[in-house]
Amino acid sequence: MWLQREIRLEARPRGFHLVTGEVVGALPELGSVRVGLLHLHILHTSASLTLNENASPDVRRDFASWFDRAVPERAPYWTHTLEGEDDMPAHVKSSLLGPSLTLPISAGQLALGTWQGIYLCEHRDHGGSRRLVATAWGEAGEG
Amino acid sequence: MWLQREIRLEARPRGFHLVTGEVVGALPELGSVRVGLLHLHILHTSASLTLNENASPDVRRDFASWFDRAVPERAPYWTHTLEGEDDMPAHVKSSLLGPSLTLPISAGQLALGTWQGIYLCEHRDHGGSRRLVATAWGEAGEG
Amino acid sequence: MWLQREIRLEARPRGFHLVTGEVVGALPELGSVRVGLLHLHILHTSASLTLNENASPDVRRDFASWFDRAVPERAPYWTHTLEGEDDMPAHVKSSLLGPSLTLPISAGQLALGTWQGIYLCEHRDHGGSRRLVATAWGEAGEG
């Protein structure tokens, strides 16, 4: 079976945001996949997806602190500055974290670790709504 | 064909460890895949997987040196510190390297480059045994 | 349907290079995939693949500037130095960006965002031609 659907995530402020519920809620058909995979792909170059700790908001805040220091705005080596000070750092952060996640599906559910959640990594100050292409494939069945 | 199995990797000290043999040895069915893919997913947020040079132990030691400097412990901006000084850096390192690898299978073998090996990236001082979900899919046959 | 093919990318100088056209041009069969995925895997440990902004050459130049500062040559902590000053930084950069991309296919085309292009990230001074394994799978049809 194949499923492919575009998901539009609501606009969020710059930072790291837990979106597991929003993504899974948009894909009720996952419940009928016995074994398979879900691929999530973000259609942007200034926001990204990652998987990390799903319990403590301070982990997501610390992610922002580290990335803002590691990829600073107003560094003297940036030449692509016309689209704002947050633009070029957003591109680099996006590639460090990556545009896609591939996640196992087992018995109708994402087979994630207890503490794993899907993060939308919003690297722009005003990124707006973000679009994902979700593709699931596998064997149907109840497990 | 689909194969999905949990693999438990033995506990290793903090650092970068070559685990190609341990992973492939747990998946003897790969030998019957003519063309396909293997997805490896780690069920943790403080360890990760990557592919890199499989010959020189000093490459893996240099990985540890670089990551420990790039994502330092005891930085003043960490607020999530209750679980130990190595915890928050482990989360960031995990997302920089990523929780998953997807690898091509060709004629019953992983189609890797000559120098490519699978690294378990253990970012905690005492991470313990780590669990992977391995999912393989493709066309059966001898190639 | 399954398609697996090795693609040899022409040698390029150190830096970040847009290769979407070269990759897609080597895979004309993608036009007959209604829904599916394309996996691109580089067979090297000193070059990598990422997806980023496809319009401005200055974005790709700024990528090089950032990565060369973040993972410097001649750092005192490198011990794997026999293969050249650019070698060990190339290994770390490769794992930061990753060896693979998985991209959705929809109605015979890669379903990328308007500004997304495939980058070959060449981290060696003289890396030579680079080999990819391209694997596509999905449902055939015109969409």
Side-chain angles (χ1 to χ4, degrees), chain B residues 34-37 50-53 56 58-59 61-63 65-67 69 96-97 101-107 111-117 137-139, chain C residues 1-4 39 41-46 70-72 77-81 83 87-88 90-92 94-100 102 131 133 135 137:
Chain B
R34 191 184 64 80
V35 53
L37 290 155
T50 194
L51 216 62
N52 220 290
E53 211 263 23
S56 305
D58 47 357
V59 171
R61 190 171 53 224
D62 287 359
F63 261 78
S65 296
W66 186 84
F67 276 91
R69 279 162 182 76
L96 286 171
L97 291 160
L101 286 174
T102 307
L103 305 172
I105 306 171
S106 186
L112 301 182
T114 308
W115 305 106
Q116 289 183 315
W137 69 106
E139 288 188 337
Chain C
M1 61 142 284
W2 282 85
L3 164 70
Q4 192 172 67
H39 180 259
H41 180 78
I42 199 162
L43 292 169
H44 308 272
T45 60
S46 58
V71 193
Y77 47 81
W78 299 134
T79 64
H80 180 77
T81 54
E83 295 174 53
D87 181 60
M88 195 57 226
H91 289 309
V92 172
S94 293
S95 278
L96 286 172
L97 291 160
S100 300
T102 306
R131 294 157 57 219
V133 176
T135 308
W137 69 105

Side-chain angles (χ1 to χ4, degrees), chain A residues 23-130:
Chain A
V23 169
V24 172
L27 299 166
E29 298 91 338
L30 297 186
S32 63
V33 180
R34 191 184 64 80
V35 54
L37 290 154
L38 171 65
H39 180 258
L40 298 170
H41 180 78
I42 198 163
L43 293 169
H44 308 271
T45 60
S46 57
S48 49
L49 298 173
T50 194
L51 216 62
N52 220 292
E53 210 263 22
N54 59 15
S56 304
D58 48 355
V59 170
R60 300 194 287 281
R61 191 172 52 225
D62 286 359
F63 262 78
S65 297
W66 187 85
F67 276 91
D68 285 347
R69 278 162 183 77
V71 193
E73 302 187 5
R74 293 179 292 280
Y77 47 80
W78 299 133
T79 64
H80 180 79
T81 54
L82 274 177
E83 295 175 54
E85 293 181 340
D86 59 330
D87 182 59
M88 194 57 226
H91 289 309
V92 172
K93 292 170 185 174
S94 293
S95 279
L96 286 172
L97 292 160
S100 299
L101 286 174
T102 307
L103 306 173
I105 306 171
S106 185
Q109 295 198 297
L110 292 183
L112 302 181
T114 307
W115 305 105
Q116 289 184 316
I118 302 169
Y119 284 17
L120 169 68
C121 316
E122 175 55 73
H123 305 303
R124 296 298 309 257
D125 291 336
H126 305 287
S129 173
R130 298 296 196 172

Side-chain angles (χ1 to χ4, degrees), chain C residues 24-42:
Chain C
V24 172
L27 300 165
E29 298 91 338
L30 297 187
S32 62
V33 181
R34 192 184 64 80
V35 54
L37 290 155
L38 171 64
H39 180 259
L40 299 170
H41 180 78
I42 199 162

Side-chain angles (χ1 to χ4, degrees), chain C residues 12-17 60 63-64 119-124:
Chain C
R12 288 176 167 85
R14 178 165 158 172
F16 291 74
H17 304 279
R60 300 193 287 281
F63 262 78
Y119 285 17
L120 170 68
C121 316
E122 175 55 73
H123 304 303
R124 296 298 307 257

Side-chain angles (χ1 to χ4, degrees), chain B residues 5-133:
Chain B
R5 178 177 301 151
E6 192 172 307
I7 300 174
R8 190 175 286 270
L9 298 178
E10 60 175 68
R12 288 175 166 86
R14 178 166 158 171
F16 290 75
H17 304 279
L18 197 59
V19 297
T20 316
E22 191 174 346
V23 169
V24 172
L27 299 166
E29 298 91 337
L30 297 187
S32 63
V33 180
R34 191 184 64 80
V35 53
L37 290 155
L38 171 65
H39 180 258
L40 298 169
H41 179 78
I42 198 163
L43 293 169
H44 308 272
T45 60
S46 57
S48 48
L49 298 172
T50 194
L51 216 62
N52 220 290
E53 211 263 23
N54 59 16
S56 305
D58 47 357
V59 171
R60 299 194 287 281
R61 190 171 53 224
D62 287 359
F63 261 78
S65 296
W66 186 84
F67 276 91
D68 284 348
R69 279 162 182 76
V71 193
E73 302 186 6
R74 294 178 294 277
Y77 46 81
W78 299 134
T79 65
H80 180 79
T81 54
L82 274 178
E83 295 175 53
E85 292 180 342
D86 59 330
D87 181 60
M88 194 57 227
H91 289 309
V92 172
K93 293 171 184 174
S94 293
S95 278
L96 286 171
L97 291 160
S100 299
L101 286 174
T102 307
L103 305 172
I105 306 171
S106 186
Q109 296 198 297
L110 292 183
L112 301 182
T114 308
W115 305 106
Q116 289 183 315
I118 301 169
Y119 285 16
L120 169 68
C121 315
E122 174 55 72
H123 305 302
R124 297 297 310 256
D125 291 335
H126 304 285
S129 173
R130 297 297 197 171
R131 294 157 58 218
L132 308 182
V133 176

